[in-house]
Amino acid sequence: MADSTVPVDVISAEALLNSGQTETNKLLNQLVPSFNFPQPSLTDGTDSLRPATLRGLAPDQVLVLINGKRRHQSALVNLNGSVGRGSTAVDLNTIPPLAIERIEVLRDGAASQYGSDAIAGVINVQLKKGMGGRAQATFGKYITEM
């Protein structure tokens, strides 16, 4: 990324694994300062496919690339007072953090390079190559008595 004319935030796989999060959107919310991932409840379908924003702009103004190729947006239109009302978002949580090699976030000057669908910026997710694997498990317990 040293040859880029604008600053690019690069988040490595090690930073992703050390963050303690299991959702890609939560990872980005924790590691990228201009990324916002609100978690609304009971606002139509956005409680299952939650929209994320970059630089405070609508979710559909962020261009998401997977290995440099455009990722399609979801078919869910955000309604009922949710974030990005009237827009559609890319579901980044469909990409497991264990499969990511690095994430590159371009915030400034993205529209001049990529077009009007990158007004807020570009998120390029580079996936790991090759064979091999890793597993991750989480668990919890709900205690109701003292």
Side-chain angles (χ1 to χ4, degrees), residues 70-92:
R70 290 178 185 262
R71 172 83 173 151
H72 62 82
Q73 294 178 339
S74 69
L76 176 69
V77 177
N78 300 319
L79 299 171
N80 297 335
S82 66
V83 173
R85 190 170 142 185
S87 65
T88 59
V90 173
D91 189 9
L92 287 170

Side-chain angles (χ1 to χ4, degrees), residues 15-133:
L16 295 173
L17 291 176
N18 291 336
S19 71
Q21 299 292 338
T22 57
E23 292 182 40
T24 304
N25 275 330
K26 285 184 179 180
L27 289 167
L28 288 172
N29 190 39
Q30 182 178 358
L31 299 173
V32 177
S34 60
F35 190 85
N36 188 21
F37 180 59
Q39 298 179 20
S41 61
L42 301 174
T43 53
D44 61 52
T46 58
D47 49 344
S48 61
L49 197 153
R50 297 182 302 245
T53 62
L54 190 63
R55 296 176 52 208
L57 298 170
D60 61 354
Q61 294 178 334
V62 178
L63 175 61
V64 177
L65 305 172
I66 306 294
N67 291 337
K69 296 186 172 130
R70 290 178 185 262
R71 172 83 173 151
H72 62 82
Q73 294 178 339
S74 69
L76 176 69
V77 177
N78 300 319
L79 299 171
N80 297 335
S82 66
V83 173
R85 190 170 142 185
S87 65
T88 59
V90 173
D91 189 9
L92 287 170
N93 284 335
T94 58
I95 307 163
L98 288 175
I100 299 173
E101 182 179 329
R102 71 179 180 276
I103 299 175
E104 303 160 351
V105 181
L106 170 66
R107 292 174 284 171
D108 301 325
S112 64
Q113 293 178 354
Y114 291 95
S116 63
D117 56 347
I119 293 172
V122 178
I123 298 173
N124 186 16
V125 179
Q126 294 290 324
L127 300 177
K128 291 180 180 174
K129 297 172 180 68
M131 298 297 288

